[in-house]
PDB file of all heavy atoms in Angstrom:
ATOM      1  N   ILE O 355     -35.310  20.364 -46.586  1.00  0.00           N
ATOM      2  CA  ILE O 355     -34.856  19.045 -46.332  1.00  0.00           C
ATOM      3  C   ILE O 355     -33.482  18.746 -46.931  1.00  0.00           C
ATOM      4  O   ILE O 355     -33.279  19.128 -48.015  1.00  0.00           O
ATOM      5  CB  ILE O 355     -35.854  17.940 -46.500  1.00  0.00           C
ATOM      6  CG1 ILE O 355     -35.560  16.665 -45.809  1.00  0.00           C
ATOM      7  CG2 ILE O 355     -35.901  17.712 -47.989  1.00  0.00           C
ATOM      8  CD1 ILE O 355     -36.744  15.964 -45.270  1.00  0.00           C
ATOM      9  N   PHE O 356     -32.566  18.096 -46.039  1.00  0.00           N
ATOM     10  CA  PHE O 356     -31.261  17.730 -46.578  1.00  0.00           C
ATOM     11  C   PHE O 356     -30.730  16.345 -46.237  1.00  0.00           C
ATOM     12  O   PHE O 356     -30.541  15.614 -46.946  1.00  0.00           O
ATOM     13  CB  PHE O 356     -30.327  18.967 -46.099  1.00  0.00           C
ATOM     14  CG  PHE O 356     -28.822  18.782 -46.311  1.00  0.00           C
ATOM     15  CD1 PHE O 356     -28.348  19.207 -47.435  1.00  0.00           C
ATOM     16  CD2 PHE O 356     -28.085  17.984 -45.458  1.00  0.00           C
ATOM     17  CE1 PHE O 356     -26.922  19.007 -47.698  1.00  0.00           C
ATOM     18  CE2 PHE O 356     -26.724  17.785 -45.789  1.00  0.00           C
ATOM     19  CZ  PHE O 356     -26.175  18.315 -46.851  1.00  0.00           C
ATOM     20  N   ASP O 357     -30.792  16.248 -44.881  1.00  0.00           N
ATOM     21  CA  ASP O 357     -30.244  15.176 -44.192  1.00  0.00           C
ATOM     22  C   ASP O 357     -30.897  13.749 -44.664  1.00  0.00           C
ATOM     23  O   ASP O 357     -30.164  12.829 -44.887  1.00  0.00           O
ATOM     24  CB  ASP O 357     -30.096  15.157 -42.714  1.00  0.00           C
ATOM     25  CG  ASP O 357     -31.321  16.027 -42.131  1.00  0.00           C
ATOM     26  OD1 ASP O 357     -32.199  16.343 -42.952  1.00  0.00           O
ATOM     27  OD2 ASP O 357     -31.221  16.383 -41.075  1.00  0.00           O
ATOM     28  N   LEU O 358     -32.295  13.821 -44.689  1.00  0.00           N
ATOM     29  CA  LEU O 358     -32.870  12.537 -45.089  1.00  0.00           C
ATOM     30  C   LEU O 358     -32.546  12.113 -46.552  1.00  0.00           C
ATOM     31  O   LEU O 358     -32.272  10.909 -46.705  1.00  0.00           O
ATOM     32  CB  LEU O 358     -34.425  12.860 -44.987  1.00  0.00           C
ATOM     33  CG  LEU O 358     -35.280  11.622 -45.223  1.00  0.00           C
ATOM     34  CD1 LEU O 358     -35.217  10.732 -44.151  1.00  0.00           C
ATOM     35  CD2 LEU O 358     -36.790  11.960 -45.442  1.00  0.00           C
ATOM     36  N   VAL O 359     -32.448  13.116 -47.387  1.00  0.00           N
ATOM     37  CA  VAL O 359     -32.292  12.709 -48.838  1.00  0.00           C
ATOM     38  C   VAL O 359     -30.793  12.190 -48.887  1.00  0.00           C
ATOM     39  O   VAL O 359     -30.433  11.263 -49.573  1.00  0.00           O
ATOM     40  CB  VAL O 359     -32.434  13.969 -49.779  1.00  0.00           C
ATOM     41  CG1 VAL O 359     -32.267  13.530 -51.183  1.00  0.00           C
ATOM     42  CG2 VAL O 359     -33.858  14.433 -49.515  1.00  0.00           C
ATOM     43  N   TYR O 360     -29.943  12.975 -48.143  1.00  0.00           N
ATOM     44  CA  TYR O 360     -28.371  12.555 -48.130  1.00  0.00           C
ATOM     45  C   TYR O 360     -28.302  11.192 -47.703  1.00  0.00           C
ATOM     46  O   TYR O 360     -27.525  10.399 -48.253  1.00  0.00           O
ATOM     47  CB  TYR O 360     -27.732  13.607 -47.231  1.00  0.00           C
ATOM     48  CG  TYR O 360     -26.196  13.557 -47.385  1.00  0.00           C
ATOM     49  CD1 TYR O 360     -25.576  14.465 -48.057  1.00  0.00           C
ATOM     50  CD2 TYR O 360     -25.443  12.458 -46.833  1.00  0.00           C
ATOM     51  CE1 TYR O 360     -24.126  14.476 -48.082  1.00  0.00           C
ATOM     52  CE2 TYR O 360     -24.112  12.575 -46.987  1.00  0.00           C
ATOM     53  CZ  TYR O 360     -23.482  13.509 -47.599  1.00  0.00           C
ATOM     54  OH  TYR O 360     -22.006  13.480 -47.820  1.00  0.00           O
ATOM     55  N   ALA O 361     -28.889  10.710 -46.578  1.00  0.00           N
ATOM     56  CA  ALA O 361     -28.845   9.476 -46.084  1.00  0.00           C
ATOM     57  C   ALA O 361     -29.473   8.425 -46.943  1.00  0.00           C
ATOM     58  O   ALA O 361     -28.993   7.260 -46.992  1.00  0.00           O
ATOM     59  CB  ALA O 361     -29.373   9.438 -44.631  1.00  0.00           C
ATOM     60  N   MET O 362     -30.664   8.763 -47.519  1.00  0.00           N
ATOM     61  CA  MET O 362     -31.349   7.654 -48.252  1.00  0.00           C
ATOM     62  C   MET O 362     -30.854   7.439 -49.694  1.00  0.00           C
ATOM     63  O   MET O 362     -30.718   6.269 -50.203  1.00  0.00           O
ATOM     64  CB  MET O 362     -32.912   7.910 -48.279  1.00  0.00           C
ATOM     65  CG  MET O 362     -33.454   7.864 -46.831  1.00  0.00           C
ATOM     66  SD  MET O 362     -35.209   8.089 -46.976  1.00  0.00           S
ATOM     67  CE  MET O 362     -35.752   6.550 -47.675  1.00  0.00           C
ATOM     68  N   ALA O 363     -30.486   8.552 -50.456  1.00  0.00           N
ATOM     69  CA  ALA O 363     -30.279   8.274 -51.778  1.00  0.00           C
ATOM     70  C   ALA O 363     -28.981   8.863 -52.212  1.00  0.00           C
ATOM     71  O   ALA O 363     -28.345   8.658 -53.255  1.00  0.00           O
ATOM     72  CB  ALA O 363     -31.310   9.092 -52.630  1.00  0.00           C
ATOM     73  N   GLY O 364     -28.205   9.417 -51.157  1.00  0.00           N
ATOM     74  CA  GLY O 364     -26.838   9.857 -51.499  1.00  0.00           C
ATOM     75  C   GLY O 364     -26.896  11.302 -52.008  1.00  0.00           C
ATOM     76  O   GLY O 364     -27.775  11.669 -52.622  1.00  0.00           O
ATOM     77  N   PRO O 365     -25.786  11.975 -51.992  1.00  0.00           N
ATOM     78  CA  PRO O 365     -25.726  13.366 -52.398  1.00  0.00           C
ATOM     79  C   PRO O 365     -25.677  13.409 -54.116  1.00  0.00           C
ATOM     80  O   PRO O 365     -25.979  14.509 -54.587  1.00  0.00           O
ATOM     81  CB  PRO O 365     -24.376  13.913 -51.884  1.00  0.00           C
ATOM     82  CG  PRO O 365     -23.634  12.724 -51.587  1.00  0.00           C
ATOM     83  CD  PRO O 365     -24.476  11.575 -51.516  1.00  0.00           C
ATOM     84  N   ASP O 366     -25.270  12.314 -54.805  1.00  0.00           N
ATOM     85  CA  ASP O 366     -25.073  12.521 -56.219  1.00  0.00           C
ATOM     86  C   ASP O 366     -26.214  11.973 -56.983  1.00  0.00           C
ATOM     87  O   ASP O 366     -26.042  11.782 -58.262  1.00  0.00           O
ATOM     88  CB  ASP O 366     -23.777  11.908 -56.561  1.00  0.00           C
ATOM     89  CG  ASP O 366     -22.665  12.448 -55.898  1.00  0.00           C
ATOM     90  OD1 ASP O 366     -22.596  13.786 -56.048  1.00  0.00           O
ATOM     91  OD2 ASP O 366     -21.650  11.957 -55.470  1.00  0.00           O
TER      92      ASP O 366
END
Side-chain angles (χ1 to χ4, degrees):
Chain O
I355 198 145
F356 172 92
D357 31 12
L358 184 71
V359 183
Y360 194 107
M362 289 187 78
D366 293 317

